Every structure is written in C-alpha cells, then in structure tokens.
C-alpha cells in the first residue's frame, strides 16, 4: 500500500497572468496607494492654482474692510491694542468681535510692515491652508481623488474666493473649523482622545475668532464620534467630555483674562452693553444673532429685498437672491450626495469611515445652513463661506462612493442626479446675471444633461469613460469656477462685500439699533504708506452682483464725506483734515462718532482716533465723564462733528451727550468741509 509520503506530488498548472486593461483605464483602476502617487502632482497644482487665484492683484482692494484694517494698524502700534483687538492704539474701544483673527494678521504686519498686502494676504494664506487641510481630511476617508475634488470645490466657491481675499474674521474661522474636522477624522481611526481634544482646541480658538458661529459644527462632530469611534460607548462619552473641556479651556482663558482685567486699564468691549466679553458672546454675537434684538437688526425681518442682510428667513434662503450666487452652486449636488451616499453605505459596519465622513460633512451642512436660514438677527451673505467645506466634502465623497459602486443602479442614479441638478441649478444662477457670460448657462445645462445620460448608459463602455469623467467635471464646476474668477477680478471694500462679476459692498449700518457684522470700508492710507491700488481703484459704488441694485458708499480718496458739516459714513478724510490730524502728538488725534469714521481717519493719518459709541455710535463708551477727564488731561486734540450714528440707540446717549458738551464749550471751525473743534489749548 502506498503511503501518504510516497504519493506523487501533483503540481497545478500555472495560472494565466491577469489581463491588464489599457493604460488610461489602468490609471482609473489603481488602488489607494497608487492613486495617491498619481494625484500628488494634481494636488500640488490645486494648491498652486488656489494661491494664484487668492493672491493675484490682491492689493487692488486697498485695505478692504477699514474697520478691521484700522484695528490691525492699532495692534502694530500698541501691544495692548493687539491683545484686546482695539480699534485705536490709545485703547478706547475694541472691535465688536474677539481678536483671534487680528492676532494673526497683526503679527504678520508687525513682521512685514503695515500695508495693503499685509492686511489682506493673511486671509489668502488661510484660504490656501484650508483647501489643503480639506483635501487631507477627505483623502483619509475616501481616497486622494475624492480629496482633490473636495479641495477644488472649496477653492472655487465664489464666497470663498471673496472672503479669502478680504480681511474679515471668516477666513480664520473656516480654517480652524476644517482643521477641527481633520482632527475628528484622525480620532475616529483609533478612538483617539488626544486627536479629539485637538479638535476641541481648534473650535475653542475659532470661538475667539467669531464666537458662536464656531459652535455650529459641534453637533456633527459629536454625532459622528458617538456613531463611528471604534471603542465602547462609555469611552466615547468620556472622550467627548474631555474634548469639551479642551474647548472650554482654549476659549475660556481669554474670556477670563478680559473679565478679570481691571476695566479702567483696558479698552471698552465694543458691541457689549456692560463692557463684558461674555455678555458680547451671549448677547449681540449670540442669542441676538439668532433671535434678533441686542443691537441686531436688518435680519430676517428685513424682507426679501434686503439682500445685504440675507433676505427673508425660510428653508429656501440659501438659494435666494442674497445667498444663492455666493454658495449654492453645488448645494443641490451635496444634498443628493448625502442622501445617496447614506443609502449606499447603509450596510457598512458602525465604524466605517466613509459613512462617518458623510455624517460629519452632512451634519455640518444641515445644522449650519438651517441656522443661517432661520436666524432672525443680523446675517450677511458672506457668512455662507462656513458652508463651503461641507459642500466640497460631500461632493467629493458622493462622487467617490457612486463611482466605486457604479455597477449598482442606485449609485448611477445618485451620480446622474448630482450632475443634472447642478446643471439645471447653475443655469438658473447664471441667468440671474444675464450680462455675465450669457452663453455659459447653456453650456452648463447641456454638460449636465450629457453627463447624467453618460453616467446612466455609458459606464460600461471603456472607450468613453474619459469623456464621461470630463462631462461630469464640467457640469459640476463650470458655473462656480466662472463666478469665482469674476469675483477675484473685482475690488472689494466696505462691511458687506458680495461675490460675482460686479464689485459691490455696503458700508456699515447707520445709527439706531442696527449694527452690521463687520465695519466700515474706508480706504484712505496712512501718510507715507499708501497701499498699491488703494487710491481711485475701489469699486464700492457699483451695482450689487445679486441684481438688487444695492450700492456701496463712495470712498474716493481725498474727498469729503458729505457736502459739508461732517465726516459721514465711511468716506475718506479730506486732505486738509488729514494734514491737521497728522501733526498731533496727543494720545488721540481726534474723537468722532462711530467706528467707521474713526477707522477711515486712522488709516488716513496713522494716528489714534476715538470711536465714540463704537460701531455706529451705539455703545456707552466713552462716557461723558470719561471724555471730560481725557480732555482735561490733554489727551485728545480735536473733536470732529458728524461721524456715524451720532444719535445712539435707545438708552445709549454717550455720543449725543459728548457732542452737546463739546458744542457748548468749544468753538467750531471748518477744515475742508468738516466741522472741527479744537480741544487743547
């Protein structure tokens, strides 16, 4: 009998070598590691293109928002002004936001000097960084191609181009929120409490940038960690508590510093009712934004024509005349990607990172867009830049999931619906500015229809796959890209800039109870340091790109603000007034009502100017007694009549009391066409 050891060994014939597809299809079939090597040059090109888009001809906008530019100038002249975000180096009053964004921009200006480029460039660099971090975040859960699509979508969103070329706090806010999303994704991989705590730190500093708006992403971050972190439910809860503690510490240290600092030796907290940063967070920049009141006005109650303040509230607000062309180009595709992606991943394990990514970006989008749509307080269309990373993330992941499962009808229907909806909606958006590339809307609509049909019936035909991919990309990106390029080609000033082919902005609000979210838009330059393109190149008087006919305030250099009597609005100072204030040596060269007028004077002269009443003259600062004390000490050279918001709000009479006292005790003179009172002997 033959034993087992004596049996002959039967060798299997060698398997046939795998059939390799043609080169261009082989590239599409590569695994994640090979894809990463293949798209790395494309990722670098994306960042280089973003840098070109955000930095090209940047200084044509002069100082952009002069409210924040003046605060940055003050920060270069006084460390205390840098710490507190003071509007003036004499530290009379702060801006109406926490100083997080000013800390970064002022540090940049301290190193490289204060000028138009150092005012605007930090935001451009933040935008480039945000695009790169979004790419890395989506790449970790859906691969490099999805990350590339997401990053490109963010870079080419019109409102993102607007805000990453402008000196409002939103640029740093977006960067910190995207960084927090990256930390959350890293925490999901191994249930890392450390990475989750870093997300809390990022949101904490985002709170110090724009307060309550930074917290809108927390529901999404919390939900995704509770769902997908690979550890027990108890440990997930403990990790979230630790991250909340990190958030409180990273934001609370500064709130505590301001509250504990003696009020007599720091500036008044602009926008607050009782000189408290905590009250500012809970009141004007908190519940007041959501519900109205607390100095907030012009929001949802403003009616559908009030596009500078968001138009009417409701579920369609993000698609309306105020927000539509800013943010909604890919919004239908993102919503379809969310629904279709969740369906296609419904059987995935609890810890599946792809579905977790959908929950993260989807929760971010739904919560933030929902709050923006229904909030009744002050809101401006440029706030929508906070939605751009979530939209980009959903579009990138939606394309990845649908293409990976394209053999399934549901996946093909999802992708086809994304491109068709984008083509149809972008056709509508481009039609709102009928004189801008009138042919583009037809190209977008046709590309969307062709791409949708190709996805449904041509996915099996290898020879047409590159054409299908090209049609998808054109239909998704052409409208937004055209509007983004048009936005970059325009100058932007004022407190309420808008994107699109027409340069437009609104100045700050007037007196009474309405305050804008940002500040004035003066472009006068400090003596001897005029920014490139800041004189005569501002386009704030153009018609709004939303088609509403809103025009910004005139800001021609060297002109008086109002035909006589006062500074008015956010116009630049006359040459005579600039020369007068430039020769002063007191703590404050002058005092005037409202931050807009004060900021323009500071930028024109390089001197400190007291903004009586803060933004629009509504704050009880300085009081009449404090103002008298400063005058007696010889700290203020001139009082400039007029300004902005001199009447004050109900119960806030500081500006009118000071004006009455000055008029009763000092002699008026006319400088240029402005009424001026000399306060020193």
């Amino acid at each position: 009998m033959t034993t087992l050891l004596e049996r002959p060994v039967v060798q299997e014939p060698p398997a046939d070598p795998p059939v390799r597809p043609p080169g261009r299809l082989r590239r599409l079939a590569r695994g994640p590691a090979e894809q990463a090597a293949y798209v790395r040059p494309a990722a670098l090109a994306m960042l280089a293109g973003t840098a070109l888009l955000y930095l090209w001809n940047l200084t044509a906008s002069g100082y952009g928002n002069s409210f924040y530019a003046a605060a940055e100038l003050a920060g270069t002249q006084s460390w205390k002004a840098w710490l507190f975000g003071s509007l003036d180096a004499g530290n009379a009053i702060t801006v109406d936001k926490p100083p997080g964004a000013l800390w970064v921009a002022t540090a940049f200006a301290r190193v490289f000097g204060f000028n138009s480029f150092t005012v605007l460039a930090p935001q451009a660099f933040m935008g480039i960084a945000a695009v790169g971090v979004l790419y890395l975040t989506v790449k970790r859960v859906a691969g490099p191609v999805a990350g590339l699509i997401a990053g490109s979508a963010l870079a080419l969103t019109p409102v993102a181009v607007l805000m990453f070329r402008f000196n409002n706090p939103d640029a740093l806010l977006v960067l910190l929120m995207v960084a927090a999303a990256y930390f959350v994704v890293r925490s999901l991989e191994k249930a890392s409490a450390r990475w989750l705590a870093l997300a809390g730190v990022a949101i904490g500093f985002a709170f110090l940038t724009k307060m309550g708006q930074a917290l809108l992403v927390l529901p999404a971050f919390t939900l995704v960690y509770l769902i997908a972190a690979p550890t027990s439910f108890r440990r997930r809860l403990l990790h979230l508590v630790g991250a909340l503690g990190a958030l409180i510490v990273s934001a609370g240290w500064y709130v505590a510093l301001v509250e504990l600092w003696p009020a007599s030796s720091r500036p008044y907290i602009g926008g607050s009712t009782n000189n408290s940063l905590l009250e500012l967070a809970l009141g004007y920049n908190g519940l007041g934004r959501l519900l109205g009141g607390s100095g907030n006005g012009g929001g949802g109650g403003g009616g559908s024509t009030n596009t500078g303040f968001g138009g009417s509230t409701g579920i369609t607000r993000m698609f309306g005349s105020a927000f539509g062309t800013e943010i909604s180009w890919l919004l239908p595709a993102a919503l379809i990607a969310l629904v279709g992606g969740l369906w296609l991943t419904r059987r995935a394990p609890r810890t599946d990172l792809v579905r977790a990514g959908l929950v993260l970006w989807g929760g971010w989008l739904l919560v933030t867009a929902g709050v923006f749509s229904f909030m009744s307080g002050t809101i401006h269309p440029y706030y929508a830049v906070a939605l751009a990373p979530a939209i980009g993330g959903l579009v990138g992941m939606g394309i990845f999931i649908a293409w990976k499962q394209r053999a399934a009808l549901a996946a093909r229907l999802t992708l086809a619906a994304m491109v068709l909806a984008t083509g149809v909606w972008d056709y509508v958006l481009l039609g709102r500015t009928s004189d801008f590339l009138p042919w583009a809307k037809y190209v977008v609509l046709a590309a969307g229809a062709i791409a949708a049909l190709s996805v449904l019936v041509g996915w099996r035909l290898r020879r047409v796959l590159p054409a299908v991919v090209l049609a998808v990309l054109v239909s998704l990106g052409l409208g937004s890209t055209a509007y983004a390029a048009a936005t970059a080609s325009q100058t932007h000033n004022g407190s309420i800039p808008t994107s699109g082919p027409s340069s437009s902005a609104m100045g700050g609000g007037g007196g009474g109870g309405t305050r804008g979210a940002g500040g004035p838009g003066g472009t006068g330059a400090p003596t001897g340091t005029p920014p490139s393109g800041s004189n005569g190149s501002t386009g704030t008087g153009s018609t709004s790109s939303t088609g509403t006919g809103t025009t910004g305030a005139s800001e021609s250099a060297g002109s008086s603000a109002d035909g006589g009597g006062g500074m008015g609005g956010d116009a630049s100072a006359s040459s005579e007034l600039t020369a007068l204030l430039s020769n002063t040596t007191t703590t404050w060269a002058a005092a005037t009502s409202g931050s807009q007028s004060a900021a323009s004077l500071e930028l024109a002269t390089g001197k400190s100017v007291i903004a009586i009443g803060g933004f629009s003259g509504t704050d009880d600062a300085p009081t009449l007694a404090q103002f008298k004390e400063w005058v007696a000490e010889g700290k203020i050279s001139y009082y400039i009549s007029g300004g902005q918001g001199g009447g004050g709000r109900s119960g806030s009479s500081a500006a009118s009391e000071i004006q009455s006292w000055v008029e009763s005790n000092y002699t008026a003179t006319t400088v240029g066409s402005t009424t001026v009172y000399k306060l020193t002997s």
Side-chain angles (χ1 to χ4, degrees):
M1 182 176 66
T2 305
T3 65
L4 182 62
L5 295 176
E6 295 173 333
R7 290 177 181 174
V9 177
V10 179
Q11 295 183 347
E12 297 290 338
D16 295 333
V19 179
R20 304 182 70 191
R24 61 186 178 186
L25 295 179
R26 192 162 60 246
R27 290 194 293 269
L28 295 174
R30 289 176 173 173
E34 293 173 303
Q35 285 184 27
Y38 178 69
V39 301
R40 189 171 293 116
L44 294 175
M46 174 188 68
L47 294 177
T50 303
L52 179 63
L53 182 64
Y54 291 174
L55 292 169
W56 175 76
N57 199 27
L58 187 62
T59 57
S61 292
Y63 288 143
N65 188 335
S66 67
F67 181 60
Y68 294 115
E72 184 176 335
L73 173 63
T76 64
Q77 298 169 339
S78 164
W79 287 108
K80 181 181 286 189
W82 176 82
L83 175 62
F84 290 106
S86 299
L87 184 69
D88 60 283
N91 292 291
I93 194 167
T94 71
V95 298
D96 61 352
K97 297 289 185 297
L102 291 173
W103 289 341
V104 178
T106 302
F108 192 78
R110 278 187 172 269
V111 174
F112 299 103
F114 180 82
N115 53 59
S116 175
F117 182 78
T118 57
V119 166
L120 299 177
Q123 288 69 231
F125 294 135
M126 293 171 194
I128 299 166
V131 169
V133 175
L134 180 61
Y135 163 76
L136 295 175
T137 305
V138 176
K139 172 187 172 183
R140 295 196 74 87
V141 298
V145 174
L148 192 64
I149 295 172
S152 299
L154 170 60
L156 295 173
T157 300
V159 71
V161 176
L162 173 69
M163 298 315 296
F164 291 138
R165 293 172 56 90
F166 201 69
N167 55 323
N168 275 21
D170 300 75
L172 181 59
L173 174 73
V174 170
L175 173 59
L176 289 171
M177 291 194 301
V178 174
Y182 174 81
F183 296 144
V184 170
V185 168
R186 292 298 302 266
S187 73
L188 293 174
E189 296 171 352
K190 296 182 179 179
S192 170
R194 182 183 62 180
W195 282 110
L196 194 63
L198 286 175
V201 171
I203 296 301
F205 278 93
F207 181 86
L208 296 181
T209 300
K210 212 177 177 191
M211 291 192 162
Q213 188 178 337
L215 306 181
L216 296 180
V217 297
L218 290 184
F221 292 175
T222 302
L223 179 62
V224 74
Y225 196 80
L226 284 175
I227 291 175
T231 187
S232 67
F233 185 74
R234 178 176 175 274
R235 290 179 64 86
R236 279 175 266 164
L237 287 177
L238 290 175
H239 291 174
L240 286 169
V241 171
L244 177 61
L247 187 160
I248 293 173
V249 170
S250 60
W253 71 270
Y254 183 74
V255 176
L257 182 147
V258 174
E259 296 299 312
L260 295 174
W261 196 292
S264 60
S265 64
R266 64 162 170 79
Y268 183 92
I269 304 302
S272 70
T273 59
N274 61 355
N275 199 13
S276 167
L277 185 64
L278 184 60
E279 191 277 333
L280 177 65
L282 298 177
Y284 172 56
N285 282 331
L287 295 178
R289 296 282 172 158
L290 297 176
L291 306 177
S294 296
N296 283 271
S304 60
T305 60
N306 195 0
T307 56
F309 289 87
S312 298
T313 58
I315 197 170
T316 60
R317 194 183 221 184
M318 294 300 103
F319 300 92
S321 58
F323 284 90
T325 53
E326 303 285 344
I327 191 62
S328 71
W329 300 88
L330 290 174
L331 184 52
L335 295 173
I336 293 170
L338 175 61
V339 174
L342 290 175
W343 173 259
L344 293 171
T345 58
R346 66 192 184 280
R347 294 191 177 91
R350 176 181 67 83
T351 58
D352 180 66
L353 285 180
V354 174
R355 185 173 57 194
L358 290 171
V359 174
L360 188 153
W361 300 119
W364 177 332
L365 176 62
L366 293 178
V367 172
T368 305
V371 171
F372 286 174
S373 295
F374 292 97
M375 60 188 285
S376 300
T378 300
I379 183 172
H380 300 306
Y382 66 78
Y383 287 13
V385 68
L387 299 174
I391 292 174
L394 285 173
V395 170
M397 294 196 63
I399 293 175
F400 163 77
I401 296 170
W403 187 258
K404 185 178 181 181
Q405 302 185 38
R406 60 189 180 275
L409 178 60
R412 298 198 302 276
L413 288 174
T414 297
L415 185 55
M418 288 175 62
V419 295
L420 183 60
T422 300
V424 172
W425 181 241
D426 287 7
Y427 173 88
V428 174
L429 291 178
L430 288 169
R432 292 181 179 178
T433 50
S434 56
D435 56 342
F436 172 66
L437 300 180
W439 53 267
K441 60 182 181 180
Y442 301 106
V443 174
V444 169
L445 183 62
I450 294 171
L453 183 63
S454 301
V455 167
L456 290 174
V457 303
W459 65 277
R460 290 181 179 274
L461 305 176
R462 294 180 175 180
R463 292 183 179 275
V464 301
L465 280 182
V468 172
V469 173
L470 179 61
V472 168
L473 294 178
V474 169
S475 63
L476 289 175
L478 180 59
S480 179
T481 300
Y483 230 72
T487 301
S489 68
Q490 299 293 330
T491 60
H492 296 93
N493 304 97
S495 61
I496 313 177
T498 58
S499 65
S502 297
S503 175
S504 64
M506 293 174 62
T514 301
R515 283 184 293 199
T523 57
T527 303
T529 57
S532 173
S534 66
N535 291 328
S537 63
T538 57
T540 58
S542 303
T543 302
S544 169
S545 61
T546 60
T548 63
T550 300
T551 57
S554 174
E555 301 181 88
S556 302
S559 66
S560 172
D562 50 314
M567 283 285 298
D570 43 28
S572 300
S574 65
S575 57
E576 296 90 345
L577 184 59
T578 298
L580 178 70
L581 300 186
S582 297
N583 292 323
T584 60
T585 58
T586 51
T587 302
W588 293 282
T592 191
S593 179
S595 297
Q596 298 183 62
S597 301
S600 295
L601 288 170
E602 289 185 13
L603 294 174
T605 64
K607 300 290 185 176
S608 294
V609 177
I610 297 176
I612 302 173
F615 191 91
S616 300
T618 60
D619 297 331
D620 286 318
T623 63
L624 176 58
Q626 190 175 38
F627 187 82
K628 288 180 178 179
E629 180 181 346
W630 288 341
V631 172
E633 294 172 350
K635 292 183 176 181
I636 312 173
S637 294
Y638 298 96
Y639 175 83
I640 300 173
S641 182
Q644 171 122 18
R649 65 184 171 203
S650 177
S652 175
S653 56
S656 58
E657 289 178 351
I658 290 172
Q659 180 170 328
S660 298
W661 179 78
V662 170
E663 291 174 347
S664 300
N665 292 276
Y666 294 90
T667 302
T669 59
T670 300
V671 179
S673 59
T674 303
T675 302
V676 176
Y677 296 82
K678 185 177 182 181
L679 304 181
T680 56
S681 58

